[in-house]
Short mmCIF file of all heavy atoms in Angstrom, two decimals:
data_model
loop_
_atom_site.label_atom_id
_atom_site.label_comp_id
_atom_site.label_asym_id
_atom_site.label_seq_id
_atom_site.Cartn_x
_atom_site.Cartn_y
_atom_site.Cartn_z
N ASP A 1 11.49 -1.22 8.56
CA ASP A 1 12.11 -0.03 7.99
C ASP A 1 11.31 0.56 6.83
O ASP A 1 11.15 1.78 6.75
CB ASP A 1 13.54 -0.34 7.55
CG ASP A 1 14.51 -0.46 8.72
OD1 ASP A 1 14.08 -0.20 9.87
OD2 ASP A 1 15.68 -0.79 8.50
N PRO A 2 10.79 -0.26 5.90
CA PRO A 2 9.98 0.33 4.83
C PRO A 2 8.75 1.09 5.35
O PRO A 2 8.39 2.14 4.82
CB PRO A 2 9.57 -0.88 3.99
CG PRO A 2 10.66 -1.88 4.22
CD PRO A 2 11.03 -1.70 5.66
N GLU A 3 8.12 0.56 6.39
CA GLU A 3 6.97 1.24 6.99
C GLU A 3 7.40 2.56 7.64
O GLU A 3 6.68 3.56 7.58
CB GLU A 3 6.30 0.34 8.02
CG GLU A 3 5.58 -0.86 7.44
CD GLU A 3 5.09 -1.78 8.53
OE1 GLU A 3 5.93 -2.43 9.19
OE2 GLU A 3 3.86 -1.86 8.71
N LYS A 4 8.55 2.53 8.29
CA LYS A 4 9.04 3.74 8.95
C LYS A 4 9.32 4.84 7.94
O LYS A 4 8.98 6.01 8.16
CB LYS A 4 10.30 3.40 9.76
CG LYS A 4 10.03 2.51 10.96
CD LYS A 4 11.32 2.03 11.62
CE LYS A 4 11.00 1.06 12.76
NZ LYS A 4 12.22 0.51 13.38
N LEU A 5 9.92 4.48 6.83
CA LEU A 5 10.21 5.47 5.79
C LEU A 5 8.92 6.07 5.23
O LEU A 5 8.85 7.29 4.99
CB LEU A 5 11.03 4.82 4.67
CG LEU A 5 12.48 4.48 5.02
CD1 LEU A 5 13.10 3.61 3.93
CD2 LEU A 5 13.31 5.74 5.24
N LYS A 6 7.91 5.25 5.02
CA LYS A 6 6.63 5.74 4.52
C LYS A 6 5.95 6.65 5.55
O LYS A 6 5.32 7.65 5.20
CB LYS A 6 5.71 4.57 4.16
CG LYS A 6 6.05 3.90 2.86
CD LYS A 6 5.81 4.84 1.68
CE LYS A 6 6.08 4.17 0.35
NZ LYS A 6 5.89 5.10 -0.79
N ALA A 7 6.07 6.30 6.83
CA ALA A 7 5.46 7.12 7.87
C ALA A 7 6.13 8.49 7.94
O ALA A 7 5.46 9.53 8.05
CB ALA A 7 5.56 6.41 9.21
N VAL A 8 7.46 8.52 7.89
CA VAL A 8 8.18 9.80 7.93
C VAL A 8 7.82 10.64 6.71
O VAL A 8 7.59 11.85 6.83
CB VAL A 8 9.71 9.55 8.01
CG1 VAL A 8 10.47 10.86 7.81
CG2 VAL A 8 10.07 8.92 9.35
N GLU A 9 7.73 10.02 5.56
CA GLU A 9 7.34 10.73 4.34
C GLU A 9 5.95 11.33 4.49
O GLU A 9 5.70 12.49 4.11
CB GLU A 9 7.38 9.77 3.17
CG GLU A 9 6.98 10.35 1.83
CD GLU A 9 6.98 9.31 0.74
OE1 GLU A 9 8.06 8.74 0.47
OE2 GLU A 9 5.91 9.04 0.17
N THR A 10 5.02 10.57 5.07
CA THR A 10 3.65 11.05 5.28
C THR A 10 3.63 12.22 6.25
O THR A 10 2.91 13.21 6.04
CB THR A 10 2.76 9.91 5.80
OG1 THR A 10 2.78 8.84 4.86
CG2 THR A 10 1.33 10.37 5.99
N ILE A 11 4.42 12.14 7.30
CA ILE A 11 4.50 13.24 8.27
C ILE A 11 5.02 14.51 7.59
O ILE A 11 4.40 15.58 7.71
CB ILE A 11 5.42 12.85 9.45
CG1 ILE A 11 4.75 11.79 10.33
CG2 ILE A 11 5.77 14.08 10.28
CD1 ILE A 11 5.70 11.12 11.30
N ILE A 12 6.12 14.39 6.88
CA ILE A 12 6.72 15.56 6.23
C ILE A 12 5.75 16.19 5.24
O ILE A 12 5.65 17.42 5.14
CB ILE A 12 8.04 15.17 5.53
CG1 ILE A 12 9.09 14.72 6.57
CG2 ILE A 12 8.58 16.33 4.70
CD1 ILE A 12 9.45 15.76 7.59
N ASN A 13 5.01 15.36 4.52
CA ASN A 13 4.06 15.87 3.52
C ASN A 13 2.87 16.57 4.15
O ASN A 13 2.12 17.28 3.45
CB ASN A 13 3.56 14.74 2.63
CG ASN A 13 4.62 14.23 1.68
OD1 ASN A 13 5.61 14.92 1.42
ND2 ASN A 13 4.43 13.04 1.16
N ASN A 14 2.66 16.38 5.44
CA ASN A 14 1.49 16.96 6.11
C ASN A 14 1.86 17.95 7.22
O ASN A 14 0.98 18.35 7.99
CB ASN A 14 0.60 15.85 6.68
CG ASN A 14 -0.14 15.11 5.59
OD1 ASN A 14 -1.18 15.58 5.12
ND2 ASN A 14 0.39 13.98 5.16
N LEU A 15 3.13 18.36 7.28
CA LEU A 15 3.54 19.33 8.29
C LEU A 15 3.12 20.74 7.87
O LEU A 15 3.48 21.19 6.78
CB LEU A 15 5.06 19.30 8.46
CG LEU A 15 5.67 18.26 9.39
CD1 LEU A 15 7.18 18.44 9.41
CD2 LEU A 15 5.10 18.37 10.80
N PRO A 16 2.40 21.44 8.71
CA PRO A 16 2.16 22.86 8.43
C PRO A 16 3.43 23.67 8.65
O PRO A 16 4.40 23.19 9.25
CB PRO A 16 1.08 23.25 9.45
CG PRO A 16 1.26 22.28 10.57
CD PRO A 16 1.76 21.01 9.95
N ASP A 17 3.44 24.89 8.16
CA ASP A 17 4.65 25.72 8.26
C ASP A 17 4.88 26.29 9.65
O ASP A 17 5.99 26.70 9.98
CB ASP A 17 4.56 26.88 7.25
CG ASP A 17 4.64 26.39 5.81
OD1 ASP A 17 5.29 25.35 5.58
OD2 ASP A 17 4.02 27.03 4.94
N GLU A 18 3.83 26.33 10.48
CA GLU A 18 4.00 26.93 11.80
C GLU A 18 3.04 26.31 12.81
O GLU A 18 2.06 25.66 12.45
CB GLU A 18 3.78 28.45 11.73
CG GLU A 18 2.42 28.85 11.17
CD GLU A 18 2.30 30.34 10.98
OE1 GLU A 18 3.31 31.04 11.06
OE2 GLU A 18 1.16 30.81 10.77
N ARG A 19 3.37 26.48 14.09
CA ARG A 19 2.53 26.10 15.23
C ARG A 19 2.05 24.64 15.12
O ARG A 19 0.87 24.36 15.01
CB ARG A 19 1.35 27.06 15.38
CG ARG A 19 1.79 28.48 15.71
CD ARG A 19 0.62 29.44 15.83
NE ARG A 19 -0.25 29.13 16.97
CZ ARG A 19 0.02 29.41 18.24
NH1 ARG A 19 1.17 29.98 18.57
NH2 ARG A 19 -0.84 29.11 19.20
N VAL A 20 3.02 23.73 15.15
CA VAL A 20 2.70 22.31 15.01
C VAL A 20 3.30 21.50 16.16
O VAL A 20 4.40 21.80 16.64
CB VAL A 20 3.20 21.77 13.65
CG1 VAL A 20 4.71 21.91 13.51
CG2 VAL A 20 2.78 20.31 13.46
N VAL A 21 2.56 20.50 16.59
CA VAL A 21 3.02 19.51 17.57
C VAL A 21 2.86 18.14 16.93
O VAL A 21 1.79 17.79 16.43
CB VAL A 21 2.20 19.57 18.88
CG1 VAL A 21 2.62 18.43 19.82
CG2 VAL A 21 2.36 20.91 19.57
N LEU A 22 3.93 17.36 16.94
CA LEU A 22 3.93 15.99 16.40
C LEU A 22 4.28 15.05 17.53
O LEU A 22 5.29 15.24 18.22
CB LEU A 22 4.97 15.88 15.28
CG LEU A 22 5.35 14.47 14.81
CD1 LEU A 22 4.17 13.75 14.18
CD2 LEU A 22 6.54 14.52 13.86
N MET A 23 3.45 14.01 17.73
CA MET A 23 3.74 13.10 18.84
C MET A 23 3.25 11.70 18.55
O MET A 23 2.40 11.49 17.67
CB MET A 23 3.12 13.63 20.13
CG MET A 23 1.63 13.84 20.09
SD MET A 23 1.06 14.46 21.70
CE MET A 23 -0.51 15.19 21.26
N GLY A 24 3.80 10.75 19.30
CA GLY A 24 3.35 9.38 19.19
C GLY A 24 4.45 8.37 19.42
O GLY A 24 5.57 8.69 19.81
N ASP A 25 4.08 7.11 19.16
CA ASP A 25 5.00 5.98 19.25
C ASP A 25 5.61 5.79 17.87
O ASP A 25 4.93 5.38 16.93
CB ASP A 25 4.21 4.74 19.69
CG ASP A 25 5.02 3.46 19.68
OD1 ASP A 25 6.22 3.51 19.32
OD2 ASP A 25 4.45 2.40 20.01
N PHE A 26 6.91 6.08 17.75
CA PHE A 26 7.59 6.02 16.46
C PHE A 26 8.29 4.68 16.21
O PHE A 26 8.79 4.45 15.12
CB PHE A 26 8.61 7.15 16.36
CG PHE A 26 8.02 8.50 16.06
CD1 PHE A 26 7.20 9.14 16.98
CD2 PHE A 26 8.28 9.13 14.87
CE1 PHE A 26 6.65 10.38 16.71
CE2 PHE A 26 7.75 10.38 14.57
CZ PHE A 26 6.93 11.00 15.50
N ASN A 27 8.38 3.83 17.22
CA ASN A 27 9.10 2.57 17.09
C ASN A 27 10.52 2.76 16.55
O ASN A 27 11.04 1.90 15.83
CB ASN A 27 8.31 1.58 16.22
CG ASN A 27 7.24 0.85 17.02
OD1 ASN A 27 7.50 0.34 18.10
ND2 ASN A 27 6.02 0.85 16.50
N MET A 28 11.13 3.88 16.88
CA MET A 28 12.51 4.19 16.50
C MET A 28 13.21 4.80 17.70
O MET A 28 12.63 5.63 18.41
CB MET A 28 12.55 5.18 15.33
CG MET A 28 12.08 4.63 14.01
SD MET A 28 12.20 5.86 12.68
CE MET A 28 10.51 6.46 12.62
N GLU A 29 14.45 4.39 17.92
CA GLU A 29 15.23 4.98 18.99
C GLU A 29 15.84 6.31 18.52
O GLU A 29 15.91 6.58 17.32
CB GLU A 29 16.30 4.00 19.45
CG GLU A 29 15.69 2.76 20.11
CD GLU A 29 16.73 1.83 20.70
OE1 GLU A 29 17.55 2.30 21.52
OE2 GLU A 29 16.74 0.64 20.33
N PRO A 30 16.27 7.16 19.44
CA PRO A 30 16.69 8.52 19.08
C PRO A 30 17.81 8.62 18.05
O PRO A 30 17.89 9.61 17.32
CB PRO A 30 17.13 9.12 20.43
CG PRO A 30 16.29 8.40 21.43
CD PRO A 30 16.19 6.99 20.91
N ASP A 31 18.68 7.62 17.97
CA ASP A 31 19.78 7.68 17.01
C ASP A 31 19.41 7.12 15.63
O ASP A 31 20.27 7.01 14.76
CB ASP A 31 21.01 6.96 17.54
CG ASP A 31 20.76 5.48 17.82
OD1 ASP A 31 19.59 5.04 17.71
OD2 ASP A 31 21.72 4.76 18.15
N CYS A 32 18.15 6.80 15.42
CA CYS A 32 17.73 6.22 14.13
C CYS A 32 17.85 7.27 13.03
O CYS A 32 17.25 8.35 13.12
CB CYS A 32 16.29 5.73 14.21
SG CYS A 32 15.68 5.04 12.66
N PRO A 33 18.59 7.00 11.95
CA PRO A 33 18.76 7.99 10.88
C PRO A 33 17.47 8.33 10.14
O PRO A 33 17.38 9.37 9.51
CB PRO A 33 19.79 7.33 9.95
CG PRO A 33 19.73 5.88 10.26
CD PRO A 33 19.37 5.77 11.71
N MET A 34 16.47 7.45 10.24
CA MET A 34 15.21 7.72 9.54
C MET A 34 14.44 8.88 10.16
O MET A 34 13.50 9.42 9.56
CB MET A 34 14.35 6.46 9.49
CG MET A 34 14.86 5.45 8.48
SD MET A 34 13.89 3.92 8.40
CE MET A 34 14.47 3.06 9.85
N LEU A 35 14.84 9.31 11.37
CA LEU A 35 14.21 10.47 12.00
C LEU A 35 14.78 11.79 11.49
O LEU A 35 14.24 12.86 11.81
CB LEU A 35 14.38 10.41 13.52
CG LEU A 35 13.55 9.36 14.27
CD1 LEU A 35 14.01 9.27 15.71
CD2 LEU A 35 12.07 9.70 14.20
N ALA A 36 15.84 11.74 10.71
CA ALA A 36 16.55 12.96 10.29
C ALA A 36 15.65 13.99 9.60
O ALA A 36 15.73 15.18 9.92
CB ALA A 36 17.73 12.60 9.39
N PRO A 37 14.77 13.61 8.67
CA PRO A 37 13.92 14.62 8.02
C PRO A 37 13.01 15.37 9.01
O PRO A 37 12.72 16.55 8.83
CB PRO A 37 13.09 13.82 7.02
CG PRO A 37 13.91 12.60 6.75
CD PRO A 37 14.57 12.28 8.05
N ILE A 38 12.58 14.66 10.06
CA ILE A 38 11.75 15.31 11.08
C ILE A 38 12.60 16.25 11.92
O ILE A 38 12.19 17.38 12.22
CB ILE A 38 11.06 14.24 11.95
CG1 ILE A 38 10.06 13.44 11.10
CG2 ILE A 38 10.34 14.90 13.15
CD1 ILE A 38 9.47 12.25 11.82
N ARG A 39 13.77 15.80 12.30
CA ARG A 39 14.65 16.64 13.12
C ARG A 39 15.07 17.91 12.37
O ARG A 39 15.34 18.94 13.00
CB ARG A 39 15.88 15.84 13.54
CG ARG A 39 15.56 14.67 14.47
CD ARG A 39 16.82 14.07 15.06
NE ARG A 39 16.55 12.92 15.91
CZ ARG A 39 16.09 12.98 17.15
NH1 ARG A 39 15.84 14.17 17.68
NH2 ARG A 39 15.89 11.89 17.86
N GLU A 40 15.15 17.83 11.06
CA GLU A 40 15.51 19.02 10.27
C GLU A 40 14.41 20.08 10.33
O GLU A 40 14.69 21.28 10.23
CB GLU A 40 15.75 18.63 8.82
CG GLU A 40 17.03 17.84 8.61
CD GLU A 40 17.15 17.29 7.20
OE1 GLU A 40 16.27 17.63 6.36
OE2 GLU A 40 18.10 16.54 6.93
N ARG A 41 13.17 19.65 10.53
CA ARG A 41 12.03 20.57 10.51
C ARG A 41 11.55 20.97 11.90
O ARG A 41 11.03 22.08 12.09
CB ARG A 41 10.86 19.92 9.75
CG ARG A 41 11.11 19.68 8.27
CD ARG A 41 10.93 20.92 7.43
NE ARG A 41 9.61 21.48 7.57
CZ ARG A 41 8.55 21.11 6.85
NH1 ARG A 41 8.68 20.15 5.93
NH2 ARG A 41 7.36 21.68 7.02
N LEU A 42 11.70 20.05 12.86
CA LEU A 42 11.08 20.24 14.17
C LEU A 42 12.10 20.08 15.30
O LEU A 42 13.16 19.50 15.13
CB LEU A 42 9.94 19.24 14.37
CG LEU A 42 8.81 19.24 13.33
CD1 LEU A 42 7.82 18.12 13.63
CD2 LEU A 42 8.10 20.59 13.29
N PHE A 43 11.72 20.60 16.48
CA PHE A 43 12.54 20.51 17.69
C PHE A 43 12.10 19.30 18.51
O PHE A 43 10.90 19.10 18.76
CB PHE A 43 12.39 21.78 18.52
CG PHE A 43 13.11 21.76 19.83
CD1 PHE A 43 14.49 21.91 19.89
CD2 PHE A 43 12.41 21.57 21.02
CE1 PHE A 43 15.16 21.88 21.10
CE2 PHE A 43 13.07 21.54 22.24
CZ PHE A 43 14.45 21.70 22.27
N ASP A 44 13.06 18.50 18.94
CA ASP A 44 12.80 17.34 19.78
C ASP A 44 12.77 17.78 21.24
O ASP A 44 13.80 18.18 21.80
CB ASP A 44 13.90 16.29 19.56
CG ASP A 44 13.64 14.99 20.32
OD1 ASP A 44 12.69 14.95 21.11
OD2 ASP A 44 14.40 14.04 20.10
N THR A 45 11.61 17.70 21.88
CA THR A 45 11.48 18.17 23.26
C THR A 45 12.35 17.38 24.23
O THR A 45 12.63 17.85 25.33
CB THR A 45 10.01 18.11 23.73
OG1 THR A 45 9.55 16.75 23.68
CG2 THR A 45 9.12 18.97 22.84
N ALA A 46 12.81 16.19 23.83
CA ALA A 46 13.68 15.39 24.70
C ALA A 46 15.01 16.08 24.99
O ALA A 46 15.70 15.71 25.94
CB ALA A 46 13.94 14.02 24.08
N GLU A 47 15.33 17.10 24.22
CA GLU A 47 16.56 17.85 24.50
C GLU A 47 16.50 18.56 25.85
O GLU A 47 17.53 18.96 26.38
CB GLU A 47 16.82 18.86 23.37
CG GLU A 47 17.18 18.21 22.04
CD GLU A 47 17.65 19.20 21.01
OE1 GLU A 47 18.15 20.28 21.40
OE2 GLU A 47 17.52 18.92 19.80
#
């Protein structure tokens, strides 16, 4: 969990304002609350 929080923080700090794709192995399932900051900024294509 501490690594996951640091990774999400790093992602948010490096997100451009437009035209961005974020992908990879997050080692988190979709209901993980630590994904919330990303979901607030970006659209999950799994929808």
Side-chain angles (χ1 to χ4, degrees):
D1 285 355
E3 290 173 291
K4 292 171 184 177
L5 289 169
K6 283 293 183 182
V8 170
E9 179 183 299
T10 302
I11 289 166
I12 295 300
N13 289 341
N14 287 278
L15 276 180
D17 292 330
E18 57 186 12
R19 296 179 66 77
V20 60
V21 174
L22 166 65
M23 58 180 160
D25 174 359
F26 282 67
N27 277 312
M28 291 181 262
E29 294 186 55
D31 60 354
C32 179
M34 285 179 282
L35 288 170
I38 294 172
R39 295 190 182 283
E40 289 172 5
R41 295 280 302 274
L42 303 176
F43 176 76
D44 185 353
T45 61
E47 292 190 25

